[in-house]
């Protein structure tokens, strides 16, 4: 599905007209292509002292800047890192390190330094905050400062233009700023892989996780199952996991067998025709993966259906069909995986939720119950995998251009696309990139969380 409006407001005469009329002008987003640099321009790292705070102790900002620049003892990322930029220089990304903040007053200097460069943030620029979780055990001033970052980041994301995004890495107490998941999340947010992720704060719960030998193929040697992979978001997930080095088993219903075989060929994986609501679906996935590929490490629960109706008109069948595919099947498959003894090498479960499951949506009580269920399931499944270095997480897409959303009436679809900070729908690959990050070895410290891929939808949390 193409967004004709997005093309019109970015070309020739219609671009000028849209500007004169004050219409929303979404910027085309740049997506990751093989061989792209992580960040193609200067990156400013700001610590608590702001741009002129050399005398303020800021150990986290110093350690991070050193690693990003590759100037420390350990191999770094070789980014073009600056702690200070002249008033004429353009910057591609700003990393605001606020993890040491102890009072809301401490936010003024770093935020002023960021404000001074915002007008020179390049198109598709990135702002990433690094902060700490605020808990009831914190001193009130510390908690206030930490929680303040949350509100600040979400508001800033709504102010950025030109396809720029703002996201936050939130470290739980005691988690090192250089922990695998902290760096993995920072990399994801800085890169074009997170093009449609905006206004999100991702909590890093622990130092768990491992650094990949090669950040370009972090899933090398891993075997993944993706359900509902014959088309749409599932097909994009299969392609992205394969690009990142995984061997992929694609699963879909027998009726989608032909399309499924095409995707399996494309990603050089194998196809398994299977209705995920079958009692033995989990066992059959395991048997296929073990038999054909020797092990199973990643399961992506993507298959999902909608049967929309207002609750007053909802038949029991519609309710049950949606709950059966979108949540009951996942619970049963996870149970089979967990009791098999064959899903124990840093396993990863990533489930597709939806912003409907967070904010609710008229006509979708069944769907939202199932997707809210996915979020609860991920939270409660994560601890069961912890002993194996495993994780369970959810990705909640907003409006994504697929066959599912193509069925929405034209006017409603146009409006739905604009109702986020990036003023456009996302693409299936945007969701796939988030899934691939959560499936990666570096994301071992992200446990039981929900990552929204919604361009910062104006509804919901
Ligand atoms: P889609 O309808 O294009 O594809 C879903 C795939 O799942 C189809 O190939 C279908 O055959 C398969 N499937 C359905 N029931 C199955 C079963 N019982 N067993 C095996 N396979 C089955 O959907 P789309 O848009 O690609 O969505 C993928 C996931 O993302 C779903 O879970 C959906 O709820 C979620 N999502 C999608 C959003 C969007 O904007 N497209 C927004 C939020 C969430």
């Amino acid at each position: 599905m193409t967004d004709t409006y997005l093309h019109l407001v970015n070309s020739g005469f219609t671009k000028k007209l849209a500007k004169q009329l004050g219409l929303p002008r979404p910027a085309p987003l740049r997506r990751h292509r093989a061989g792209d640099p992580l960040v193609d321009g200067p990156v400013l790292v700001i610590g608590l002292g702001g741009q002129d705070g050399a005398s303020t102790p800021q150990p986290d900002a110093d350690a991070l800047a050193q690693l990003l620049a590759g100037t420390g003892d350990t191999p770094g990322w070789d980014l073009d890192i600056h702690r200070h930029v002249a008033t004429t220089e353009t910057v591609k990304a700003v990393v605001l390190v606020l993890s040491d903040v102890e009072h809301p007053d401490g936010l003024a200097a770093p935020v002023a330094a960021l404000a001074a460069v915002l007008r020179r943030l390049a198109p598709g620029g990135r702002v990433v905050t690094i902060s700490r979780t605020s808990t009831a055990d914190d001193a009130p001033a510390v908690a206030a400062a930490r929680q303040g970052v949350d509100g600040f980041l979400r508001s800033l994301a709504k102010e950025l233009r030109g396809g720029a995004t703002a996201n936050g890495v939130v470290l739980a107490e005691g988690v090192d700023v250089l922990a695998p998941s902290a760096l993995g999340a920072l990399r994801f947010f800085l890169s074009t892989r997170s093009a449609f992720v905006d206004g999100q704060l991702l909590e890093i719960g622990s130092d768990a996780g491992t650094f990949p030998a090669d950040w370009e193929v972090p899933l090398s040697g891993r075997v993944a199952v993706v359900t509902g992979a014959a088309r749409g978001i599932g097909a994009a997930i299969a392609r992205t996991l394969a690009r990142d080095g995984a061997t992929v088993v694609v699963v879909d219903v027998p009726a989608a067998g032909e399309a499924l075989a095409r995707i399996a060929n494309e990603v050089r994986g194998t196809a398994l025709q299977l209705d995920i609501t079958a009692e033995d679906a989990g066992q059959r996935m395991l048997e296929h993966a073990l038999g054909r590929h020797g092990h199973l490490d990643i399961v992506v629960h993507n298959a999902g259906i909608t049967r929309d109706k207002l609750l007053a008109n909802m038949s029991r069948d519609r309710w049950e069909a949606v709950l059966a595919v979108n949540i009951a099947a996942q619970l049963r498959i996870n149970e089979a995986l967990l009791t098999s003894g064959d899903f124990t090498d840093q396993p990863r479960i990533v489930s597709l939720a939806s912003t409907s499951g967070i904010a609710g949506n008229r006509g979708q009580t069944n769907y939202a119950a199932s997707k809210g269920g996915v979020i609860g399931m991920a939270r409660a499944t994560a601890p069961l995998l912890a002993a194996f270095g495993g994780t369970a997480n959810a990705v909640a897409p907003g409006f994504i251009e697929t066959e599912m959303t193509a069925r929405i009436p034209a006017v409603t679809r146009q409006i739905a696309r604009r109702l986020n900070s990036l003023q456009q729908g996302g693409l299936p690959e945007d969701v796939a990139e988030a899934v691939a990050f959560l499936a990666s070895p570096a994301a071992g410290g992200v446990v039981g969380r929900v990552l929204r891929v919604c361009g910062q939808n104006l509804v919901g949390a």
Side-chain angles (χ1 to χ4, degrees):
M1 194 74 209
T2 50
D3 184 349
T4 316
Y5 179 86
L6 186 141
H7 293 293
L8 284 176
V9 296
N10 283 292
S11 49
F13 165 70
T14 39
K15 178 177 177 178
K16 234 165 145 181
L17 188 68
K19 195 171 177 184
Q20 279 164 1
L21 293 175
L23 295 174
R25 285 179 300 137
L29 303 181
R30 190 151 154 222
R31 266 88 184 187
H32 180 74
R33 296 285 164 261
D36 277 358
L38 174 58
V39 183
D40 61 348
V43 180
L44 177 63
V45 176
I46 301 173
L48 277 191
Q51 280 215 54
D52 302 307
S55 58
T56 312
Q58 36 200 344
D60 281 357
D62 294 343
L64 203 59
Q66 221 175 53
L67 181 112
L68 267 48
T71 51
D73 299 335
T74 46
W77 295 358
D78 295 328
L79 295 178
D80 179 14
I81 294 295
H82 300 250
R83 300 303 299 275
H84 187 101
V85 286
T87 50
T88 50
E89 262 176 291
T90 302
V91 293
K92 191 64 203 257
V94 182
V95 181
L96 202 58
V97 188
L98 305 169
S99 43
D100 304 321
V101 73
E102 292 187 340
H103 191 282
D105 288 350
L107 296 172
V111 163
L114 169 63
V117 297
L118 271 187
R119 286 189 200 287
R120 286 174 284 123
L121 191 63
R126 296 283 185 266
V127 176
V128 183
T129 55
I130 312 272
S131 59
R132 286 205 182 270
T133 317
S134 126
T135 70
D137 295 334
D138 295 332
V142 173
R146 290 176 175 181
Q147 192 70 38
V149 175
D150 192 303
F152 162 75
L153 187 277
R154 289 175 200 270
S155 298
L156 174 65
K158 292 183 177 179
E159 293 181 9
L160 297 179
R161 288 289 172 262
T165 63
N167 291 291
V169 178
V170 185
L171 310 172
E173 201 57 56
V175 174
D176 195 291
V177 71
L178 303 184
S181 292
L183 292 179
L186 175 61
R187 243 186 122 86
F188 176 68
F189 287 144
L190 283 175
S191 74
T192 44
R193 293 170 196 255
S194 62
F196 196 60
V197 180
D198 199 9
Q200 302 306 304
L201 292 128
L202 184 65
E203 184 173 307
I204 312 301
S206 77
D207 285 335
T210 49
F211 291 110
D214 181 348
W215 284 103
E216 282 302 302
V217 278
L219 301 180
S220 142
R222 308 283 279 167
V223 177
V225 164
V226 182
T227 68
R231 66 180 203 191
I233 295 173
I237 294 171
R239 291 187 187 105
T240 304
L241 297 187
R243 178 205 68 193
D244 282 0
T247 301
V248 183
V249 177
V250 289
V251 173
D252 212 300
V253 287
E258 231 172 87
L260 189 68
R262 270 199 302 276
I263 301 290
N265 280 341
E266 190 188 323
V267 303
R268 295 166 182 232
T270 53
L272 172 63
Q273 294 185 10
L274 173 69
D275 184 330
I276 57 160
T277 60
E279 278 296 322
D280 62 348
Q283 287 84 349
R284 287 187 51 198
M285 281 177 192
L286 263 171
E287 268 167 34
H288 178 101
L290 266 55
R292 301 289 288 273
H293 309 293
H295 47 110
L296 176 60
D297 312 302
I298 299 163
V299 171
V300 182
H301 291 297
N302 163 78
I305 59 169
T306 50
R307 297 283 183 274
D308 297 356
K309 275 276 180 219
L310 295 178
L311 185 60
N313 304 327
M314 174 99 54
S315 67
R316 187 150 173 172
D317 283 357
R318 279 180 183 264
W319 178 274
E320 286 180 351
V322 168
L323 274 285
V325 176
N326 293 6
I327 181 68
Q330 298 194 22
L331 286 165
R332 200 177 310 113
I333 291 166
N334 289 351
E335 177 79 26
L337 295 171
L338 281 158
T339 53
S340 68
D342 286 318
F343 193 59
T344 52
D345 178 15
Q346 296 189 52
R348 299 277 184 270
I349 296 177
V350 187
S351 297
L352 270 285
S354 164
T355 48
S356 285
I358 300 170
N361 201 14
R362 188 180 147 85
Q364 290 201 316
T365 48
N366 52 354
Y367 184 72
S370 73
K371 296 299 189 180
V374 162
I375 293 170
M377 177 192 69
R379 194 187 305 128
T381 305
L384 308 177
L385 291 163
F388 315 113
T391 66
N393 289 288
V395 169
F399 185 97
I400 306 295
E401 307 282 356
T402 66
E403 288 178 42
M404 195 164 110
T405 48
R407 288 199 297 268
I408 299 174
V411 174
T412 317
R413 192 168 66 233
Q414 273 303 343
I415 295 168
R417 277 184 180 130
R418 310 296 155 224
L419 289 181
N420 63 63
S421 296
L422 296 168
Q423 301 177 321
Q424 58 196 286
L427 299 183
E429 57 253 47
D430 296 327
V431 181
E433 295 286 6
V435 170
F437 161 60
L438 291 171
S440 71
V446 184
V447 279
R449 315 301 306 179
V450 189
L451 178 55
R452 291 176 43 160
V453 181
C454 64
Q456 196 179 30
N457 249 9
L458 298 187
V459 287

